[in-house]
Structures are given as structure tokens and as C-alpha cells.
Amino acid sequence: MASRICLLLLVAFLAGAFAGDVIEVNKSQREFDYFALSLQWPGTYCRGTRHCCSKNACCRGSDAPTQFTIHGLWPDYNDGSWPSCCYRSDFNEKEISTLMDGLEKYWPSLSCGSPSSCNGGKGSFWGHEWEKHGTCSSPVFHDEYNYFLTTLNIYLKYNVTDVLYQAGYVASNSEKYPLGGIVTAIQNAFHITPEVVCKKGAIDEIRICFYKDFKPRDCVGSKELTSRKSCPQYVSLPEYTPLDGEAMVLKMPTEREGL
Ligand code: U2P
């Protein structure tokens, strides 16, 4: 009788493991505390693009994004660290095929590189974000579709580009803006303090944070970053500059640009 029960349990376990296409490989990481929606500024990122390929949104010429685009929705811990690659769930683009228009527009790769997947291979930008971060978003998300759909929805609901625009902070290659003013504009709009990350004096990323029910909250890094650890007191918000002819001609799809 006991061996029969064991056999039944084994069959049930195997059925569960294979039916869900999800195999838990790392149970050592505890549940996350909050989400950070990390947004990247194409004007800053695309300045570093030297070569082009079809998947890189910096290479779309006049159709290149002019608003903050999504880097990722990251489950984070209150101590400033974060879990990653929480279980094995190989990215399957078919699961999010109905979201493609939104993803291409609001969550494009700004690189020709192929970021590493959790199991050591190389994959797409979306695959990297799902495997590294999405798999750690349990118990809020258990599948790609809901992870990507919700991320698009909160991105559209909390429109950082629009908030900055309304406050007069528009893309410019000549203006510098007070970091405090940018932070205040977001505080006034969403009643939380964002995290701001700069690269060479330009805004590189803005992160806005959420409780697990997607009510906004302060980001953990917000205090030190707004006290200029990463950004100067006056920052730029560079315009997107279309790449020159030479860069467009050189197609190097294997180029790695630091993802
Ligand atoms: O900041 C540099 C890279 O570290 C990863 N990161 C950062 C903050 C955070 O809360 N969580 C996190 O994962 C990001 O790695 P990526 O997702 O790009 O692999 C970020 O680019």
C-alpha cells in the first residue's frame, strides 16, 4: 500500500513538473519585498550605439523612441539587494505574442547585444528580463504573459515622460535641468520618491517603485541617489540623435553593448 502511494505521488509530481513547463531550481532566495519599474532614457542609451541591427530600437531612425522605455520590472529587497533567476523557466516568445505591438513600442531592446539567460545561454532582452527578474516575482506572477502585460499597464498608467514634459523637462542637447526639480515633479505626480541613475551627467534611468499590489511607494535607493550619489546637481536629458550613415550600414548583430 505504501509503495502504491509513493508511486502515485511520484506520478503526480512528474505530471506537475512537466505540465507547467516550470522547474524550480533555486529555492534559497526568499520572497521579494517590492517592485521597481526601471525605465531607460533612449537619448542617453543610444549615444553609446555605434553599430546597428534590426532589433535595436536606437536604429529606427525617425521612429526611434523619444519617451522613456521599459528596462524591466524588478522584484527587489528592502536592503537594496534583489533576487535573480529564481527558477528554471525558459523564455517562450509565443506566450506573449499578443503583446508584441506594445512590447516593441514601449519595451524595445536598445542594443544589438544578446544578454545572457539564466542557464548560461544567450537570448533576447525580454527573455533576459523574464528569466532573471520575472521568475522572482512569485507570488504575484507565475507566468510570462501576466508579468509582461502588467508591466506594460503600469508603465502606461505612470507616465514619467509626460510628467517631466508637463513640468518643462523636455529632451534637449543644450539644457541642463536641476535633479531636484525632476524628482519633485515625479513626487508631486505620484506621491513617491523615484530612484534616478545618471551616466556622464545625463539621466540614464528613472525607477519608480510599487508595493506588491502596485500601489506606488518610495524606492530604496531614492534617498542616496537624490543626494547625488549617481547624478550631478544639474542633469541633461539628451535628445535622440539618429545614427550616421556609416553606423547604419555596419550591421553587427552580435555586438555586445553592455547588457
Ligand atoms: O544596475 C545595473 C544592473 O543591475 C541590475 N539591477 C539593478 C537594480 C535592481 O534593483 N535590480 C537589478 O537587477 C540590472 O540588471 P539587468 O536587469 O539589466 O540584467 C541593471 O541593469
Side-chain angles (χ1 to χ4, degrees), residues 125-166:
F125 180 42
W126 300 320
H128 170 82
E129 292 299 311
W130 163 250
E131 293 185 18
K132 180 174 175 184
H133 303 287
T135 59
C136 298
S137 59
S138 173
V140 179
F141 301 117
H142 300 97
D143 62 273
E144 279 177 37
Y145 181 79
N146 282 298
Y147 174 74
F148 284 97
L149 176 67
T150 305
T151 306
L152 287 173
N153 280 332
I154 57 164
Y155 166 82
L156 292 170
K157 181 169 177 187
Y158 297 92
N159 190 332
V160 168
T161 313
D162 194 47
V163 165
L164 297 193
Y165 182 83
Q166 299 296 336

Side-chain angles (χ1 to χ4, degrees), residues 71 74 76 82 128-129 132-133 207 259:
H71 181 162
W74 299 338
D76 280 353
W82 56 86
H128 170 82
E129 292 299 311
K132 180 174 175 184
H133 303 287
R207 298 178 187 149
L259 261 173

Side-chain angles (χ1 to χ4, degrees), residues 18-29:
F18 291 114
D21 194 25
V22 163
I23 300 164
E24 199 154 309
V25 291
N26 189 348
K27 288 185 175 167
S28 61
Q29 299 177 88

Side-chain angles (χ1 to χ4, degrees), residues 228-239:
R228 283 169 258 132
K229 186 179 167 210
S230 142
C231 297
Q233 208 173 346
Y234 284 83
V235 295
S236 62
L237 200 57
E239 284 172 62

Side-chain angles (χ1 to χ4, degrees), residues 58-120:
C58 295
C59 305
R60 290 180 190 162
S62 56
D63 288 332
T66 51
Q67 75 277 50
F68 280 91
T69 56
I70 301 169
H71 181 162
L73 182 70
W74 299 338
D76 280 353
Y77 294 129
N78 286 327
D79 67 4
S81 67
W82 56 86
S84 62
C85 300
C86 288
Y87 61 82
R88 176 90 188 251
S89 171
D90 295 341
F91 178 67
N92 178 3
E93 200 167 297
K94 284 194 191 123
E95 287 186 29
I96 52 170
S97 57
T98 54
L99 305 177
M100 270 312 145
D101 288 353
L103 291 171
E104 291 285 2
K105 188 165 180 193
Y106 304 122
W107 198 336
S109 172
L110 299 178
S111 163
C112 292
S114 296
S116 50
S117 59
C118 289
N119 52 11

